Amino acid sequence: MKTALTIAGSDTCAGAGIQADLKTFSANGVYGQTVITALTAQNTMGVNDVLEVPDDFFREEIDAVCSDIFPDAVKIGMVESSAKIRIIFEGIEKYNLMHIVLDPLMISTSGHKLLQDEAVGTLTEMLFQKAELITPNIPEAEELVKDSIDSEEKMRFAAKALSQKYHTNVLIKGGHFDGDPIDVLHEKNGEMHVFYGKRIENKDTHGTGCVLSSAIAANLSKGFSLYEAVSRAREFLQGAIQAGLHLGHGHGPMDLFYEGE
């Protein structure tokens, strides 16, 4: 069985973060492991508080996983500090980790800051160069390119600019747009792919970014090309949103095991 590692924060309601990543790995037939960056007190209505995992223990987590059950792919989600980013960078180099999907979480959907201001530069300088794919949403991409993105044309331009600047593949997620969602993938080889979806009218969308990036990592671990991994992950995400669970008072979790029901 292929293996995948998620390096991310814990979500108490289990709709996002490492809990969602583990479910996604399992639903996609991959054995999942975890390295926890932080504990969050959150639910479907928002993030109430964040507690960082001590850096020394965080390093031990990475060593424990990678020295035993080596991951075929890695998903990186919430990392709140420069110190932890440097530890991840060291771990990637030490163990020669491959198929890294980086979801550059900066701000939660509810507006809670998830990445310290001084850590943004460390993230882009150290981890972007190691990632096979980065998956910013529209607000994150706007922060990275320092410009507004309000059309498919601007998504294409931003994806190309980020890919060329950081020498990596870039998937900009357009779920924040009104109407049907559009995702744009720009590969390092210059190929551009635009994925058109259908807006699903329900509010069970907690953890969509986490699920998409972990599903891409799962498919990369199984040997699919980047384009195919993204395509399969998008189909999986759409099915999970469509199924829904209708739990909680806010944006509820998705049904990640809908295919087995």
Side-chain angles (χ1 to χ4, degrees):
M1 175 176 279
K2 295 298 184 180
T3 62
L5 167 64
T6 169
I7 303 176
S10 171
D11 173 10
T12 45
C13 75
I18 61 164
Q19 289 88 343
D21 295 339
L22 283 177
K23 294 173 189 177
T24 300
F25 291 158
S26 295
N28 283 272
V30 172
Y31 182 80
Q33 303 182 88
T34 65
V35 167
I36 301 174
T37 60
L39 306 178
T40 68
Q42 66 172 292
N43 54 31
T44 63
M45 296 179 287
V47 179
N48 298 328
D49 204 357
V50 178
L51 178 65
E52 294 186 35
V53 169
D55 292 342
D56 289 343
F57 183 81
F58 180 66
R59 182 180 286 104
E60 290 289 345
E61 289 186 90
I62 295 175
D63 286 337
V65 169
C66 295
S67 64
D68 188 14
I69 304 175
F70 187 80
D72 295 304
V74 181
K75 173 266 175 81
I76 302 174
M78 176 185 162
V79 185
E80 74 288 353
S81 69
S82 288
K84 282 189 176 59
I85 291 169
R86 293 189 183 96
I87 292 170
I88 294 172
F89 179 86
E90 292 166 3
I92 291 171
E93 293 211 314
K94 179 179 179 179
Y95 295 103
N96 193 29
L97 300 178
M98 304 294 288
H99 295 315
I100 297 167
V101 179
L102 173 59
D103 188 11
L105 293 175
M106 299 177 182
I107 302 173
S108 71
T109 302
S110 60
H112 191 101
K113 186 174 291 187
L114 300 175
L115 184 65
Q116 298 169 6
D117 291 337
E118 51 84 22
V120 174
T122 312
L123 181 74
T124 57
E125 292 166 12
M126 301 193 79
L127 291 190
F128 276 26
Q129 65 172 289
K130 294 295 186 181
E132 181 168 346
L133 177 70
I134 61 173
T135 63
N137 58 30
I138 293 294
E140 290 158 351
E142 289 179 329
E143 177 68 22
L144 291 168
V145 299
K146 304 301 181 185
D147 196 5
S148 64
I149 302 173
D150 56 11
S151 66
E152 179 184 328
E153 181 181 3
K154 287 190 175 182
M155 287 181 71
R156 288 171 176 262
F157 178 84
K160 180 178 180 180
L162 291 174
S163 180
Q164 292 178 340
K165 180 176 181 179
Y166 296 110
H167 309 290
T168 189
N169 304 298
V170 177
L171 176 69
I172 296 184
K173 301 170 295 187
H176 283 75
F177 283 157
D178 293 331
D180 291 336
I182 301 171
D183 297 335
V184 174
L185 172 65
H186 189 279
E187 298 191 55
K188 287 189 294 184
N189 62 12
E191 291 187 19
M192 182 89 73
H193 310 279
V194 181
F195 301 90
Y196 300 97
K198 287 291 183 181
R199 177 71 60 182
I200 299 171
E201 295 301 330
N202 72 40
K203 62 177 185 177
D204 292 334
T205 56
H206 184 57
T208 50
C210 300
V211 169
L212 181 64
S213 56
S214 56
I216 294 170
N219 282 293
L220 288 174
S221 78
K222 294 191 287 187
F224 290 104
S225 69
L226 179 61
Y227 174 80
E228 185 64 21
V230 172
S231 297
R232 292 170 63 91
R234 291 183 77 261
E235 291 175 6
F236 172 77
L237 177 61
Q238 184 170 356
I241 296 173
Q242 183 72 57
L245 288 174
H246 311 301
L247 299 174
H249 296 91
H251 290 283
M254 295 165 283
D255 184 356
L256 301 179
F257 295 105
Y258 69 95
E259 292 183 323
E261 297 172 349

